[in-house]
Amino acid sequence: MNGAIFVAGHRGMVGSALCRALEAKGLGPVLTRTRSELDLCNQAAVEAFFAEQQPQTVIHCAAKVGGIHANRSYPADFIHDNLAMALNVIHSAWRHGCQRLLYLGSSCIYPRMAPQPLQEEALLTGPLEETNEAYALAKIAGLKLCEHYRSQYGVIFHSAMPTNLYGPGDNYHPEHSHVIPGLIRRFHEAKAAALPSVSIWGTGRPRREFLHADDLAAGLICLLEAENPPDLVNIGSGEDLPILELAKLIAQTVGYEGEILTNPEMPDGTPRKLMDISNIRSLGWEPRMGLEEGLAAAYEDFLGAECRVRSAN
Ligand code: GDP
């Protein structure tokens, strides 16, 4: 990686993990901008930033993300913000001489009923899961932008498809978060209030795969170091489990001993989305953090975040 590296979205869970990993490898300091310094949805502002800074490498980690309920409730915001950011960043990066751009997608880009484990070739072979269709369409547009700029202009613009992620700096909002941070909060609060039971959303039967953000960051660096990476590469842990099993592990981590109930009134989403990670493995990357160890670290992170909120109030 030569020249300045711009990490878009460096304050998010993925962007901050990536900055830590880049700096640990001596590849920092990276170029960053907070949202108030640079609104990535504002085309003129993004264009002016790239004209001035001309980074040689860009990693596009910025995204509007949320769990199943947020995706279903705010589809217009999810499609608009993610499309606008992808279009602005990818186009201005190319216009101002960036040779290497890594774009982050998501496992929800694959068809709802695609064969498991999900191979990269499953892209656009069937209908999407409806609870996150807006987000998935924006992410598909972003990865296709990279593919077409690469084929037309010869720049190495390529994409990583991470599975469901968790880690330090996650969003612990009770409704808008993903399942791991959402349940950490719910079990923690239930334990504090000595509640006899806790409800999880859906039937508990869907299966999900989880990857720690630090493992993802190592995978992103592995892709950036590959001379001629494929257009699209999955990054996951290679293992999944039913949501009810995950809930039991989280309850154990938090120390909640009450009953766990399911709530079929809430959506299940896609039944399963386990990634085939043969391609990233063949480039020399392996997941390192086991789920139980990762959940313990995530609970510590949640307690730290709660403490900071309390001392700020
Ligand atoms: P998804 O992979 O896009 O469906 O992302 P989520 O992390 O939001 O949800 C994963 C699965 O966990 C879905 O089947 C949800 O119904 C289920 N789930 C159970 N309880 C919760 C919760 O409290 N929050 C969230 N976000 N999902 C939950």
Side-chain angles (χ1 to χ4, degrees):
M1 279 176 263
N2 297 318
I5 304 175
F6 173 49
V7 174
H10 73 289
R11 280 193 166 164
M13 180 176 76
V14 172
S16 54
L18 181 62
C19 288
R20 287 194 300 276
L22 286 168
E23 276 164 27
K25 282 204 98 177
L27 295 166
V30 289
L31 182 59
T32 58
R33 288 290 182 274
T34 61
R35 193 179 304 184
S36 58
E37 290 165 344
L38 176 62
D39 174 5
L40 296 173
C41 290
N42 178 332
Q43 194 244 333
V46 173
E47 178 60 16
F49 166 78
F50 276 94
E52 192 189 313
Q53 299 294 332
Q54 307 201 352
Q56 286 301 294
T57 303
V58 173
I59 305 128
H60 185 62
C61 304
K64 179 170 179 64
V65 294
I68 192 164
H69 183 59
N71 268 277
R72 239 184 16 158
S73 309
Y74 311 109
D77 298 350
F78 276 83
I79 195 165
H80 172 270
D81 291 8
N82 288 303
L83 267 179
M85 287 190 273
L87 192 59
N88 294 341
V89 169
I90 293 167
H91 186 68
S92 291
W94 164 74
R95 260 175 66 83
H96 296 288
C98 170
Q99 290 300 312
R100 185 94 188 207
L101 183 146
L102 177 55
Y103 177 76
L104 266 85
S106 156
S107 58
C108 70
I109 58 150
Y110 293 115
R112 174 182 162 85
M113 298 314 281
Q116 307 280 325
L118 296 158
Q119 294 185 329
E120 288 86 348
E121 292 72 31
L123 181 67
L124 293 174
T125 55
L128 297 166
E129 156 62 30
E130 71 177 62
T131 50
N132 51 28
E133 188 202 66
Y135 178 74
L137 283 172
K139 287 288 171 188
I140 292 172
L143 73 91
K144 283 289 172 188
L145 275 166
C146 291
E147 193 180 313
H148 293 306
Y149 276 63
R150 185 176 186 173
S151 82
Q152 187 176 336
Y153 298 122
V155 286
I156 305 186
F157 285 13
H158 58 123
S159 304
M161 292 309 118
T163 192
N164 289 35
L165 301 168
Y166 70 102
D170 214 338
N171 163 19
Y172 297 99
H173 189 280
E175 278 139 35
H176 298 160
S177 56
H178 286 103
V179 61
I180 289 182
L183 291 185
I184 285 179
R185 171 174 293 284
R186 202 162 317 136
F187 284 119
H188 173 81
E189 290 177 354
K191 181 181 155 194
L195 297 182
S197 65
V198 163
S199 280
I200 64 168
W201 297 351
T203 59
R205 287 196 294 267
R207 298 182 70 93
R208 290 291 183 276
E209 175 190 26
F210 298 97
L211 185 72
H212 192 274
D214 289 338
D215 274 343
L216 173 67
L220 297 178
I221 292 179
C222 168
L223 285 180
L224 284 165
E225 288 177 341
E227 216 166 287
N228 189 23
D231 284 325
L232 183 66
V233 177
N234 290 341
I235 310 187
S237 62
E239 290 172 10
D240 66 356
L241 79 173
I243 292 297
L244 185 56
E245 294 307 310
L246 172 76
K248 289 179 187 164
L249 280 180
I250 297 176
Q252 209 175 44
T253 306
V254 169
Y256 176 74
E257 289 176 351
E259 199 183 352
I260 301 175
L261 308 173
T262 55
N263 174 9
E265 304 276 293
M266 289 298 277
D268 268 344
T270 197
R272 192 177 188 198
K273 45 178 173 174
L274 175 66
M275 297 281 217
D276 181 324
I277 54 169
S278 324
N279 284 334
I280 183 88
R281 277 199 156 124
S282 71
L283 291 170
W285 173 88
E286 285 290 334
R288 290 184 187 282
M289 177 84 84
L291 186 57
E292 291 185 34
E293 183 193 352
L295 290 176
Y299 186 43
E300 285 299 308
D301 182 65
F302 167 80
L303 293 173
E306 283 293 282
C307 213
R308 286 191 292 279
V309 170
R310 269 200 308 277
S311 46
N313 288 335

